[in-house]
Amino acid sequence: MTDRSHAEALDAADPLAPFRDRFVVADPDVVYADGNSLGRLPVQTAERLDLLVQDWGDRIVSGWPDWIELPVRVGDLIGRVIGADPGETLACDSTTVNLYKLASAALDRRPGPIVIHEHDFPTDRYVLEGLAAARGLELRRIAEPTAEAMPDDAALVVLSHVSYRSGVLADLPAITEAAHDRGALVLWDLSHSAGAVPVELTQSGVDLAVGCTYKYLNAGPGAPAFLYVRRELQDELRSPIQGWFGQRDQFAMGPSYEPAEGIERFLAGTPPILGLTAVEVGAELTLEAGVGRLAEKSAALTELTIALYDDRLEPLGFTLETPRDPARRGAHVSIGHDDGWQVCRALIERADVIPDFRPPDSIRLGFAPLYSRFVDVWSAVDRLAGLVESGEYREVDAAGARVT
Ligand SMILES: *Cc1c(COP(=O)(O)O)cnc(C)c1O
């Protein structure tokens, strides 16, 4: 179970193994364990962006008729990844901006207390803190995202499906139902779910969702994010940004704003076509591999990570911060160590393993299922254990890089 040969056997039996060749792997000796932060570059993205740049050069403004529908078309592709019906998802703006737009629209419809998880991703907490302050609303921070923690009087519940920190997978259907029973709308952040774990938004009755595309969807640094609004709710909500792309009959250029019907009312300004083209390729690759198969492989990759943790890392003083039950975790595993930051820097500088670090002490190992191999998991843990067993990690200067 913990031999390298076991990892090799898992790779040999992996139906998704051929997808690795669809990505740029510039240095095969480097073990990339940060797909949960920024996915690899798909080979096809470079080709499609080249074509698009040529098209721009050739056609200039006359290209727009082919480009203008991209937020909706790519949105529908992402919709298939997250279990949304056509016409419920848009690819646009950043996750932060989409979160602001949807939370603000929900609070316009019904003001009241806002519930967040105290350890949610910073941007989510900051955006809601700002909205609550601007509107004089109460912001309630819960310690665990569970159905039982849903209060009776909340207007809006905003939670991450998979915790960026611990990898804990929240029970989305049960929490959504509990919040609805108490009269609240629910907004899920799917940044660490899309392309890694199954999500059934429409079926689960989810009201609102956002998420990013540069993690498991491999759309590239700063690629446009997505937003989802349940169909029945769309005409009841208005975007706080009254931009011309969300306007009914946009090119009539009328005197005042009137929101478009349906999901397009949540667009703001001119869509970033280069970025959206990269999102399109990323979503297509994900659908080709199949969300079910990706989720199965994520569970197997994290299972191997935890088995190797038990064998090699636990005896060295590491702690496991991610649940052992595969039904309760996403696609990354977080391990704690008192010298976590220094160990993480040593992995990058001395061992060609790229994880990332979240203060105060968590090292995140994110093996994205589309292109990671089981031997990558084995090598990462082997090199990590080696650095700590020998004490070599202590030789690394702990001051350093801002982005990890
Ligand atoms: C990565 C991530 C984001 C990123 O937001 P940006 O606007 O793209 O910077 C937001 N929320 C969560 C939960 C994330 O994991």
Side-chain angles (χ1 to χ4, degrees):
M1 183 70 191
T2 51
D3 295 342
R4 187 181 163 92
S5 59
H6 175 68
E8 286 167 354
L10 291 171
D11 282 323
D14 173 16
L16 298 181
F19 278 89
R20 183 174 173 86
D21 293 338
R22 311 277 292 274
F23 288 85
V24 173
V25 178
D27 184 347
D29 292 333
V30 171
V31 174
Y32 194 62
D34 206 7
N36 54 318
S37 191
L38 182 65
R40 282 187 183 276
L41 167 65
V43 173
Q44 214 189 343
T45 301
E47 296 163 4
R48 289 266 282 275
L49 286 179
D50 271 351
L51 286 175
L52 178 63
V53 167
Q54 245 177 51
D55 198 34
W56 166 21
D58 291 344
R59 297 165 72 201
I60 330 174
V61 76
S62 63
W64 267 117
D66 288 341
W67 303 330
I68 201 161
E69 288 298 325
L70 270 184
V72 173
R73 205 169 78 216
V74 177
D76 281 342
L77 278 181
I78 296 171
R80 287 167 56 199
V81 174
I82 57 177
D85 285 342
E88 292 189 315
T89 312
L90 283 178
C92 60
D93 301 317
S94 64
T95 305
T96 303
V97 170
N98 287 333
L99 186 79
Y100 177 85
K101 290 191 297 187
L102 296 191
S104 171
L107 294 168
D108 282 343
R109 177 177 174 268
R110 194 189 144 207
I114 306 165
V115 172
I116 60 170
H117 179 211
E118 65 177 342
H119 297 306
D120 208 339
F121 192 80
T123 211
D124 300 55
R125 291 184 281 109
Y126 302 159
V127 164
L128 275 305
E129 186 187 320
L131 277 168
R135 290 158 186 256
L137 299 172
E138 185 191 345
L139 186 65
R140 228 172 272 165
R141 296 174 174 85
I142 56 174
E144 294 296 333
T146 60
E148 295 71 42
M150 292 301 113
D152 283 333
D153 56 346
L156 177 65
V157 176
V158 181
L159 295 171
S160 284
H161 187 209
V162 174
S163 161
Y164 82 105
R165 181 181 282 278
S166 63
V168 169
L169 177 71
D171 187 344
L172 178 147
I175 293 173
T176 301
E177 196 184 329
H180 284 172
D181 286 347
R182 293 160 174 79
L185 289 179
V186 188
L187 196 175
W188 286 98
D189 190 326
L190 306 178
S191 290
H192 283 275
S193 316
V197 297
V199 190
E200 290 295 342
L201 290 185
T202 308
Q203 198 182 307
S204 309
V206 169
D207 304 299
L208 306 162
V210 297
C212 62
T213 62
Y214 50 77
K215 292 172 181 163
Y216 295 102
L217 294 176
N218 307 303
F226 61 87
L227 65 80
Y228 155 95
V229 181
R230 179 159 58 84
R231 185 180 305 284
E232 305 84 71
L233 208 52
Q234 289 173 3
D235 290 337
E236 289 178 43
L237 299 180
R238 287 175 70 121
S239 172
I241 303 174
Q242 298 194 164
W244 69 314
F245 269 74
Q247 164 78 355
R248 184 188 303 253
D249 202 4
Q250 176 188 8
F251 288 97
M253 312 230 166
S256 55
Y257 178 78
E258 196 187 336
E261 265 175 55
I263 193 74
E264 286 177 70
R265 65 175 51 197
F266 298 100
L267 289 174
T270 305
I273 301 304
L274 291 159
L276 285 168
T277 299
V279 181
E280 186 171 34
V281 177
E284 283 169 357
L285 266 174
T286 298
L287 290 168
E288 187 186 333
V291 176
R293 289 201 300 184
L294 287 167
E296 272 174 39
K297 185 168 170 186
S298 292
L301 285 163
T302 49
E303 186 185 318
L304 181 63
T305 311
I306 292 172
L308 291 167
Y309 160 87
D310 285 338
D311 190 43
R312 304 283 308 274
L313 301 178
E314 202 267 339
L316 296 173
F318 285 90
T319 54
L320 183 65
E321 298 171 351
T322 300
R324 289 177 175 276
D325 176 359
R328 288 204 53 232
R329 64 175 186 250
H332 70 269
V333 172
S334 295
I335 53 177
H337 188 279
D338 287 346
D339 299 325
W341 170 245
Q342 216 175 358
V343 172
C344 187
R345 290 308 312 165
L347 268 174
I348 297 168
E349 290 169 23
R350 306 254 169 146
D352 277 346
V353 178
I354 318 286
D356 68 15
F357 180 77
R358 291 294 172 257
D361 69 348
S362 300
I363 299 168
R364 296 194 305 182
L365 298 171
F367 296 99
L370 252 180
Y371 49 75
S372 298
R373 299 168 302 190
F374 291 90
V375 290
D376 294 331
V377 177
W378 192 88
S379 301
V381 176
D382 184 55
R383 294 181 202 178
L384 175 53
L387 284 170
V388 177
E389 276 158 4
S390 67
E392 186 189 337
Y393 79 89
R394 290 206 176 86
E395 294 165 22
V396 169
D397 179 7
R402 189 176 88 94
V403 178
T404 68

